[in-house]
Amino acid sequence: RSVNIVAFGNERDGFSEDNQQACLIWSYLGRSALISHINNSLSVSQAGNPVFTKYQACVFGNVRLVVHDFPLWDIFDSDWYTSRSLIGGADIVVIKYAVNDKTSFQELKDTYAPMIKKTLNHSSVPVIISAIGARKNGVPCTCPLCTLDRRSCVTTSEGVQLAKDLGATYLELHTLDDFYIQKYFGGVLEYFMIQRLNQKSSEKMKKRKKTQKCHRVQPPQLEQPEKMPILKGEASHYDTDLHNLLCCCQCADVAFYPEDLSTVVEAHKVILCAVSHLFMLLFKVKSPADIRDTSILCTAQSLFTVEMGDTVPPLPRGVPRCVPPVRVLVKDSVFCSCLLDILHFIYSGAFQWERLEEDIKKKLKDTEKTEHVLEKVKCILKTPGKLNTVKDCRSHQMDDRLYSTSLRLFFNTPVLADVIFKIQGASVPAHRAVLVARCEVMAAMFNGNYLEANSVLVPVYGVSKDTFLSFLEYLYTDSCCPASILQAMSLLVCAEMYQVMRLRHICELYIITQLQSMPSRELASTSLSIVSLLKKAKFHNSDCLSTWLLHFIATNYLIFSQKPEFQDLSVEERSFVEVHRWPSNLYLKQLAEYRNYIHSQKSHCSMM
């Protein structure tokens, strides 16, 4: 057995002329009746300066005592690794300072105390702070500008505060005589030595008992439950959906023409307005007073003219519409020749600026015309009141979710809406272009031989208004945040009804995540029926979720087997749960046998 003590600091007054002033550690070792067989050695640096003194002795008869006494703090500056290792391996740390050396104390407090505290973090090593010497404050100077003589010694409150910061025991030793050394400092140090020896003995006994347990009859090992099937999320195809809308031009409500009416390019007002204030102005979503940017107003007037009327030429695809498209004449012929490339850029999220530059350069093969067109595009993308530079346009490459925030402006609003859903007596406005791009079922419904293709009012059955609004929000923003497991299940049913598979996967992941995070106590007391969720998931073809829920019931067998809903499982489902149950029947049988063995051992002991 051994006790390791590490001491730091100099108890000698920096201004004392007595170089033979006694050392705290040496005084204790030499005077204590419990210490015997003292040896000491001095370690010096390469420059010949003393680094620390190492003392070895015996305490309490047969306990080895090792003390490293560092009079200087330079060890922290020159060899932090060694000082940290010494503190980490210490049983007791002693910090000393002279009460009449305020400069050294301030350096200890500001520089070295935080380093010691960091090293002792999460450690139970006791620390003793010893303030040594009698204070020698004279009459302070009365000059208001002089601070040399004020508080030249370390006060008791400063020492106590340092001890609080380090979680240490604070001692004041006015002199290094027998009383202060043996009864005061020695009493505290020996108390901590006994405490540390008892702690080491306790840890040794625990290790010995642990070793002995290895030779006894061991309880059965509970294996981990089977791994749940991993449900992988589906990657977003939000940008692709909107870009494909331009390619197929379903539900187009705006047609761009050159002045000679030789060609036509179809587009969608809600998509254009989602990325451009200029198009908002053009289609009267905003007024000039709302824009308040002359460059946008001038560009809109110089590029486009909107004509409403019955003189619209027939469009190539001949798709039936409720409302004829808005006719827009493009005045700038060079810009009009690149319009399709610009629309592809906008429908892709307006973030591939370098690709647009390259496409226009190839088409025009003229630097001046290319710059002219790109300047117009910058103005189309411009935010009112701000300057748009090439750097700003290229910064869109960092944000490929432009629509997910801008299309949110048109969610559940009548602005530009061309269809109204009637659900539970309420009206919900929407935009065919977004619905057709994001949902294949609605694309067929609005473009096929169905009543909805030429109807503004569309009734919705089988889902609640809140669920349908959450469904539409996902179509517009590519995100959804269900408020509960039941709401997520309702949204899953709606997603399956309209065949939006990614939304169904998001709902499945939400339900799984919420159930996995539920503590066993809450799972046992909840009124939520997991078996009902399982039945609904199967009915609506959510194979991944139904398989996971079966595994979840099997993994929490002891909880669900006590619930009445457990009886609602089919024969096939019950068989699966019994086969994959956790804990297994074998483990429970082994556990019962082990308990009987322990009980029999206790009975034998009581008889003896």
Side-chain angles (χ1 to χ4, degrees), residues 482-493 506-508 510-511:
S484 65
I485 292 177
L486 291 178
Q487 186 181 3
M489 197 69 206
S490 300
L491 191 54
L492 183 148
V493 172
I506 291 174
C507 294
E508 289 172 340
Y510 176 87
I511 293 171

Side-chain angles (χ1 to χ4, degrees), residues 31 266 390 460 470 499 507 543:
R31 298 182 185 185
E266 298 173 316
V390 175
V460 177
S470 297
Q499 291 297 293
C507 294
D543 297 333

Side-chain angles (χ1 to χ4, degrees), residues 311-342:
T311 59
V312 181
L315 296 178
R317 290 176 177 78
V319 178
R321 296 179 178 89
C322 298
V323 180
V326 175
R327 176 178 174 176
V328 179
L329 293 181
V330 184
K331 299 178 183 179
D332 191 320
S333 59
V334 177
F335 181 86
C336 188
S337 66
C338 302
L339 182 59
L340 191 58
D341 295 306
I342 296 168

Side-chain angles (χ1 to χ4, degrees), residues 224-251:
Q224 291 297 317
E226 290 186 18
K227 288 186 178 180
M228 297 282 194
I230 299 175
L231 186 62
K232 295 182 179 179
E234 183 181 336
S236 172
H237 38 77
Y238 187 78
D239 296 332
T240 306
D241 289 343
L242 295 176
H243 185 259
N244 290 340
L245 180 65
L246 176 66
C247 299
C248 67
C249 274
Q250 293 179 342
C251 300

Side-chain angles (χ1 to χ4, degrees), residues 579-598:
V579 171
H580 297 86
R581 59 175 287 181
W582 186 86
S584 64
N585 273 325
L586 177 60
Y587 169 79
L588 295 177
K589 182 180 178 181
Q590 292 174 344
L591 182 61
E593 292 174 353
Y594 175 75
R595 285 175 174 170
N596 290 334
Y597 167 78
I598 295 297

Side-chain angles (χ1 to χ4, degrees), residues 278-344:
L278 185 146
F279 285 117
M280 286 186 181
L281 177 67
L282 197 66
F283 300 125
K284 299 182 179 180
V285 175
K286 288 187 176 182
S287 66
D290 296 327
I291 299 296
R292 294 182 180 180
D293 191 311
T294 55
S295 63
I296 294 179
L297 297 175
C298 293
T299 304
Q301 293 171 359
S302 63
L303 277 182
F304 305 110
T305 299
V306 179
E307 295 184 4
M308 296 293 291
D310 300 327
T311 59
V312 181
L315 296 178
R317 290 176 177 78
V319 178
R321 296 179 178 89
C322 298
V323 180
V326 175
R327 176 178 174 176
V328 179
L329 293 181
V330 184
K331 299 178 183 179
D332 191 320
S333 59
V334 177
F335 181 86
C336 188
S337 66
C338 302
L339 182 59
L340 191 58
D341 295 306
I342 296 168
L343 289 178
H344 277 291

Side-chain angles (χ1 to χ4, degrees), residues 56-225:
Q56 297 188 62
C58 288
V59 63
F60 306 127
N62 60 347
V63 177
R64 181 169 172 262
L65 177 65
V66 179
V67 183
H68 291 85
D69 188 6
F70 293 83
L72 301 176
W73 293 97
D74 297 349
I75 185 72
F76 283 89
D77 300 323
S78 60
D79 194 353
W80 165 238
Y81 177 79
T82 301
S83 58
R84 185 176 61 178
S85 300
L86 283 168
I87 296 174
D91 294 310
I92 302 170
V93 174
V94 178
I95 297 175
K96 307 166 291 175
Y97 66 86
V99 295
N100 292 303
D101 192 348
K102 184 67 174 284
T103 303
S104 298
F105 175 80
Q106 200 64 38
E107 187 178 13
L108 161 63
K109 177 184 174 183
D110 296 339
T111 304
Y112 303 113
M115 299 170 74
I116 294 175
K117 185 176 181 180
K118 182 179 179 181
T119 306
L120 292 174
N121 194 22
H122 306 300
S123 173
S124 60
V125 176
V127 180
I128 301 174
I129 293 182
S130 300
I132 300 170
R135 293 177 179 81
K136 300 176 181 179
N137 276 351
V139 178
C141 178
T142 57
C143 174
L145 300 179
C146 181
T147 59
L148 293 177
D149 296 328
R150 293 183 181 177
R151 314 304 298 173
S152 60
C153 64
V154 183
T155 64
T156 301
S157 60
E158 288 175 319
V160 171
Q161 184 59 47
L162 177 63
K164 285 182 179 179
D165 293 341
L166 293 177
T169 301
Y170 177 74
L171 303 177
E172 280 200 0
L173 311 177
H174 298 306
T175 60
L176 297 182
D177 57 13
D178 287 342
F179 171 77
Y180 282 105
I181 290 295
Q182 293 189 34
K183 294 186 179 180
Y184 196 22
F185 174 77
V188 174
L189 185 64
E190 288 156 12
Y191 166 78
F192 284 130
M193 283 195 286
I194 294 171
Q195 191 180 53
R196 294 296 287 175
L197 287 171
N198 290 337
Q199 186 178 348
K200 287 183 177 182
S201 299
S202 177
E203 291 173 356
K204 191 174 181 180
M205 286 296 295
K206 287 180 181 178
K207 288 182 180 179
R208 184 178 299 173
K209 288 180 180 179
K210 190 175 181 180
T211 305
Q212 291 174 350
K213 284 183 180 180
C214 297
H215 302 289
R216 297 177 183 175
V217 175
Q218 297 298 310
Q221 295 298 315
L222 180 60
E223 296 180 355
Q224 291 297 317

